[in-house]
Amino acid sequence: MARIIVDVMPKPEILDPQGKAVHGALPRLGFESVSDVRQGKRFELQVALADESTLAEVHQIAETLLSNPVIEDFTVRVEA
Amino acid sequence: MARIIVDVMPKPEILDPQGKAVHGALPRLGFESVSDVRQGKRFELQVALADESTLAEVHQIAETLLSNPVIEDFTVRVEA
């Protein structure tokens, strides 16, 4: 078995209200060292074998089901 | 500047309805090679320096603000 990680983040130019909300709360809780926060989604996909055809399929899954290509970017990687 | 990644995932024993919904949709879209899907959150925190005290602070942020320790696990890592 292998695990493929798909990380989906808002595009840099897109407003990230969730990230802004977290960032806004930090000073009230006494946290001072974080200058920016962005929030996205993480998917762990279990596959039998992380070969080329499976990775190609996961790319398609990420593009069509896990992310909105208009406002989000995604990365695909195999986790050891 | 440095970027610290906080990944928050549901604990293994906790039901993950979002992951189940994604997994259930895959065969209908013709995707066969994924046997399980789990969905969580990914946070990117921008800091001036990823030193020990900052990492300790981010751990506290992850525990108190970014995750629910009852149902979620989190990991903290510095992204190169």
Side-chain angles (χ1 to χ4, degrees):
Chain A
M1 297 296 274
R3 186 155 57 171
I4 299 176
I5 307 299
V6 177
D7 286 323
V8 179
M9 293 299 290
K11 287 183 186 288
E13 66 275 18
I14 297 290
L15 187 66
D16 172 16
Q18 291 177 305
K20 290 280 170 275
V22 170
H23 186 228
L26 294 179
R28 285 200 306 275
L29 298 169
F31 300 120
E32 302 296 344
S33 54
V34 176
S35 56
D36 189 36
V37 176
R38 296 178 63 233
Q39 179 172 342
K41 296 171 283 190
R42 171 187 163 97
F43 296 92
E44 295 179 359
L45 283 68
Q46 206 76 30
V47 295
L49 193 65
D51 57 12
E52 224 172 299
S53 70
T54 302
L55 281 169
E57 186 169 306
V58 169
H59 262 269
Q60 253 198 310
I61 291 170
E63 206 153 45
T64 54
L65 194 60
L66 305 183
S67 71
N68 173 348
V70 175
I71 60 169
E72 293 171 327
D73 292 322
F74 68 85
T75 58
V76 175
R77 58 191 163 84
V78 182
E79 195 163 65
Chain B
M1 296 297 275
R3 185 154 58 169
I4 300 177
I5 307 298
V6 177
D7 287 323
V8 178
M9 293 300 289
K11 287 184 187 289
E13 66 274 16
I14 297 290
L15 187 66
D16 171 16
Q18 290 176 307
K20 290 283 170 274
V22 170
H23 185 229
L26 295 177
R28 285 199 306 274
L29 298 169
F31 300 122
E32 302 295 342
S33 53
V34 175
S35 56
D36 189 36
V37 176
R38 295 178 66 233
Q39 178 172 344
K41 294 170 281 189
R42 170 188 163 98
F43 296 91
E44 293 180 359
L45 283 69
Q46 205 75 31
V47 295
L49 195 63
D51 57 11
E52 225 173 295
S53 71
T54 302
L55 281 170
E57 186 168 305
V58 168
H59 262 269
Q60 254 198 309
I61 292 170
E63 208 152 43
T64 55
L65 194 60
L66 305 183
S67 71
N68 174 349
V70 175
I71 59 169
E72 293 171 325
D73 292 322
F74 68 84
T75 58
V76 176
R77 59 192 163 82
V78 182
E79 196 164 68

